[in-house]
Amino acid sequence: KDGFTSRVSTITSQVTLSQLDKLTEMDINIDVLKQHNLVTKNISRVKVMLSGEINRAINLVGIKPTKGAKAAIEAAKGTVSE
């Protein structure tokens, strides 16, 4: 086997803003994403990517967004908390 495989990559996943917009919950954390099958059960880190758009205010709790995704969430009157 050649190369290097990060152990962190096995517990990390990413979701898009358009996927979050389809959820009905206001407060979104990793458990909510697991309930809606957006991430698998062994995931403990999630990154929100700027893909699509968000049309409602959501509160991200314990999920890190990219710079563009954070700006889009805050423009939609949402919040991001670590």
Side-chain angles (χ1 to χ4, degrees):
K1 182 175 174 180
D2 292 37
F4 171 76
T5 302
S6 172
R7 292 183 187 176
V8 175
S9 67
T10 60
I11 60 168
T12 305
S13 183
Q14 58 188 6
V15 295
T16 62
L17 283 178
S18 57
Q19 290 173 320
L20 294 180
D21 197 36
K22 294 175 186 174
L23 299 178
T24 57
E25 286 85 354
M26 183 76 169
D27 296 321
I28 298 175
N29 58 22
I30 293 177
D31 294 328
V32 171
L33 298 178
K34 288 179 182 179
Q35 288 173 359
H36 290 281
N37 296 322
L38 292 176
V39 296
T40 58
K41 65 180 181 178
N42 63 336
I43 298 298
S44 61
R45 294 179 180 197
V46 177
K47 189 92 167 178
V48 177
M49 307 303 250
L50 176 64
S51 178
E53 59 183 30
I54 190 146
N55 298 316
R56 63 186 186 90
I58 61 169
N59 300 320
L60 283 184
V61 181
I63 299 174
K64 294 186 179 186
T66 61
K67 189 189 314 183
K70 183 176 181 179
I73 290 168
E74 290 173 348
K77 307 288 189 240
T79 60
V80 176
S81 59
E82 297 299 319

